[in-house]
């Protein structure tokens, strides 16, 4: 399965009715029995090596059960996976706030979405039901719908197994179920988008699943969102993804590249393309699933190189040293390139890479035969059809 970054009911939420919109964030807490004089705010970040961490970005003193986090700086977009915690004065143990979730019978431990809004927290830290968070529209969207994950991904392994077993009747049923599930998922996401056109969280869900949509479907759903949402960094990425998707469908000419190998030599698509086709793999040294599929890619390379098929791996690494170290370990015989020390986001944007590993198959003219996938059996199936 790819390395990536649930739907309960289609309930209408008017975003601007949920919280007081301001040009910066403000969190006002009135919470009893916190065994500390300070509370802290942290949020998820990625460092230069793409490792996740949660640095403290703000702190506040507790006076008479009350504290205030406030910054005058306008957030470019909401900040995912933000937490509030305290350090017990006696035990020195860190404890995260837990919040009530009115949409589900459970608490959301610590996590909220930091946004340009005035938010309020109230309750007793000893209350097993959690604290009450209000004025946080994007967090309410998160509480209600979560990150939407289509069921089609779960079916891929079963479909691959049925193909291998030659069980055509069961395969036909599985493919039909997968297709119906995909259609249903896209309809629900479009409905949610129309109902919550000013929600960054819903737009994020569209972006996370953008590769499931055709270019025309993407254009339709992207145009639903307000300009404020589309002006955020993720909104701009969605617009770019939508426009670039037209160049990455089956039959389209694959966008050319010029990146460098470990010796800093410029490598282009035409310089590595095979006589009868090319396999283009996007990966990174830090991606576990990418590294796990390399042995299978080596088999594909050995099986098809004599048939005029070449392979090239393009890294989206952040660290040139980590990339070179991985190459020394994996010992891939085909061309490996990267745009390091350049901006890896250029590759993400140009080839609509939302998750890795990602594999494209091109014909002898560099036209797309297999669009973004990650399954080796699917790659082999497309290779065999192309070479018939």
């Amino acid at each position: 399965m790819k390395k990536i970054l649930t739907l309960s009911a289609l309930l209408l939420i008017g975003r601007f009715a949920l919280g007081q919109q301001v040009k910066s964030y403000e969190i006002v807490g009135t919470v009893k029995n916190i065994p500390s004089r300070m509370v802290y705010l942290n949020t998820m970040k990625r460092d230069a090596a793409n490792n996740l961490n949660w640095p403290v970005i703000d702190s506040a003193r507790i006076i008479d059960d009350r504290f205030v986090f406030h910054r005058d700086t306008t957030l470019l977009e909401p900040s995912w996976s933000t937490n509030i915690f305290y350090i017990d004065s006696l035990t020195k143990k860190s404890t995260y706030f837990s919040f009530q979730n009115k949409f589900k019978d459970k608490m959301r431990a610590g996590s909220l979405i930091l946004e340009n809004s005035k938010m309020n927290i109230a309750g007793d830290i000893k209350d097993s039901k959690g604290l009450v968070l209000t004025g946080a529209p994007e967090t309410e969207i998160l509480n209600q719908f979560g990150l939407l994950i289509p069921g089609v991904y779960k079916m891929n392994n079963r479909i691959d197994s049925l193909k291998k077993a030659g069980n055509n009747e069961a395969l036909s049923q599985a493919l039909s179920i997968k297709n119906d599930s995909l259609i249903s998922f896209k309809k629900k996401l479009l409905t949610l988008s129309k109902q919550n056109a000013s929600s960054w969280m819903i737009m994020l869900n569209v972006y996370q699943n953008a590769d499931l949509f055709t270019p025309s479907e993407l254009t339709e759903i992207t145009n639903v969102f307000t300009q404020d949402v589309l002006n955020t960094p993720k909104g701009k990425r969605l617009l770019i993804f939508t426009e670039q998707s037209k160049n990455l469908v089956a039959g389209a000419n694959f966008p050319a590249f010029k990146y460098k190998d470990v010796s800093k030599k410029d490598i282009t698509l035409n310089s590595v393309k095979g006589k009868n086709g090319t396999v283009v793999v996007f990966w990174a040294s830090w991606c576990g699933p990418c590294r796990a599929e390399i042995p299978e890619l080596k088999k594909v390379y050995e099986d098809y190189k004599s048939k005029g098929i070449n392979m090239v791996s393009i890294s989206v690494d952040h660290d040139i040293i980590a990339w070179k170290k991985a190459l020394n370990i994996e010992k891939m015989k085909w061309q490996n390139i990267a745009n390091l020390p350049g901006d890896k986001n250029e590759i993400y944007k140009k080839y609509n890479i939302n998750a890795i590993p990602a594999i494209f198959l091109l014909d002898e003219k560099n036209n797309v035969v297999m669009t973004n996938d990650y399954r080796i059996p699917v790659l082999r199936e497309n290779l065999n059809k192309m070479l018939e």
Side-chain angles (χ1 to χ4, degrees):
M1 183 174 287
K2 288 189 177 186
K3 187 177 183 69
I4 57 176
L5 270 137
T6 58
L7 185 60
S8 58
L10 297 176
L11 300 177
L12 176 62
I13 293 182
R15 180 175 186 263
F16 289 102
L18 291 174
Q20 179 183 348
Q21 297 303 307
V22 294
K23 292 185 178 180
S24 60
Y25 73 80
E26 182 174 304
I27 304 175
V28 178
T30 305
V31 181
K32 297 179 180 179
N33 293 312
I34 299 178
S36 177
R37 295 180 180 179
M38 298 288 295
V39 285
Y40 303 91
L41 186 71
N42 68 11
T43 194
M44 186 177 71
K45 303 282 187 182
R46 286 190 182 273
D47 61 21
N50 201 47
N51 298 312
L52 286 176
N53 57 84
W54 279 260
V56 172
I57 62 170
D58 207 347
S59 61
R61 184 169 295 277
I62 303 169
I63 301 175
D64 295 331
D65 296 331
R66 190 176 186 275
F67 61 86
V68 179
F69 293 112
H70 177 71
R71 286 284 178 89
D72 291 327
T73 305
T74 301
L75 298 170
L76 293 177
E77 69 179 341
S79 186
W80 172 263
S81 189
T82 299
N83 306 281
I84 299 174
F85 69 97
Y86 63 87
I87 301 174
D88 191 296
S89 299
L90 295 177
T91 66
K92 306 303 179 183
K93 177 184 176 182
S94 296
T95 301
Y96 288 86
F97 281 12
S98 295
F99 302 108
Q100 295 181 20
N101 183 348
K102 67 182 180 181
F103 299 104
K104 298 178 182 178
D105 187 24
K106 65 178 181 180
M107 295 183 292
R108 176 166 294 282
S111 182
L112 58 90
I113 296 179
L114 187 65
E115 57 183 302
N116 296 313
S117 179
K118 184 175 181 179
M119 293 163 269
N120 291 276
I121 299 173
D124 190 324
I125 203 70
K126 295 181 179 181
D127 191 341
S128 61
K129 295 180 180 179
L131 304 173
V132 176
L133 172 67
T134 56
E138 296 295 353
T139 301
E140 289 224 2
I141 292 284
L142 175 63
N143 285 344
Q144 186 177 6
F145 302 113
L147 280 176
L148 307 180
I149 302 175
V152 293
Y153 293 127
K154 294 181 180 180
M155 299 188 64
N156 285 337
N157 288 338
R158 173 169 170 74
I159 288 172
D160 291 341
S161 297
L162 291 172
K163 286 180 180 179
K164 186 175 182 180
N167 191 337
N168 293 329
E169 182 177 351
L171 175 61
S172 178
Q173 292 177 348
L175 289 171
S176 179
I177 293 171
K178 177 182 175 180
N179 185 60
D180 290 345
S181 175
L182 178 59
I183 292 172
S184 177
F185 177 80
K186 290 194 289 189
K187 284 182 177 178
K188 287 180 178 180
L189 194 47
L190 178 59
T191 299
L192 275 177
S193 300
K194 289 179 177 179
Q195 293 177 338
N196 302 277
S198 56
S199 169
W200 176 86
M201 187 65 214
I202 295 298
M203 183 276 297
L204 179 65
N205 271 297
V206 172
Y207 176 70
Q208 294 281 76
N209 294 288
D211 56 351
L212 297 177
F213 292 83
T214 65
S216 60
E217 290 170 339
L218 261 182
T219 298
E220 178 186 9
I221 198 168
T222 299
N223 287 340
V224 163
F225 293 103
T226 64
Q227 200 59 48
D228 284 345
V229 172
L230 294 177
N231 280 339
T232 63
K234 275 294 187 296
K236 292 176 181 178
R237 287 283 295 272
L238 177 59
L239 289 171
I240 293 171
F241 192 106
T242 299
E243 184 61 29
Q244 193 64 7
S245 66
K246 303 169 187 175
N247 302 318
L248 295 165
V249 295
N253 195 248
F254 194 70
F257 55 74
K258 184 171 75 171
Y259 300 127
K260 296 183 182 298
D261 63 14
V262 290
S263 64
K264 298 184 179 180
K265 178 183 176 181
D266 286 334
I267 304 296
T268 66
L269 174 57
N270 283 332
S271 70
V272 295
K273 75 173 184 177
K275 179 182 178 181
N276 294 319
T278 311
V279 177
V280 182
V281 181
F282 293 90
W283 75 297
S285 65
W286 46 261
C287 169
C290 301
R291 303 286 290 268
E293 80 167 11
I294 288 175
E296 289 302 315
L297 285 173
K298 288 180 178 179
K299 294 177 183 177
V300 171
Y301 180 71
E302 292 299 327
D303 289 345
Y304 290 92
K305 66 178 182 178
S306 62
K307 300 177 182 179
I309 301 297
N310 200 13
M311 187 177 292
V312 57
S313 287
I314 301 176
S315 169
V316 294
D317 266 284
H318 307 68
D319 185 337
I320 193 168
I321 295 176
W323 173 55
K324 290 182 177 180
K325 181 179 179 181
L327 292 181
N328 286 332
I329 294 172
E330 300 297 350
K331 302 187 184 305
M332 292 174 273
K333 295 182 180 180
W334 55 91
Q335 190 71 63
N336 277 267
I337 56 179
N339 70 337
L340 294 169
D343 182 9
K344 84 283 182 183
N345 288 321
E346 183 269 334
I347 296 177
Y348 289 144
K349 293 174 183 177
K350 188 172 184 178
Y351 298 102
N352 278 359
I353 306 301
N354 263 354
I356 51 176
I359 303 175
F360 289 84
L361 174 62
L362 316 181
D363 65 15
E364 75 281 1
K365 296 180 180 179
N366 293 336
N367 294 323
V368 177
V369 174
M370 184 188 82
T371 58
N372 185 345
D373 208 309
Y374 62 96
R375 294 167 294 162
I376 302 301
V378 175
L379 172 61
R380 284 183 173 275
E381 182 180 342
N382 279 275
L383 278 165
N384 292 335
K385 287 182 180 179
M386 187 177 74
L387 294 172
E388 285 178 353

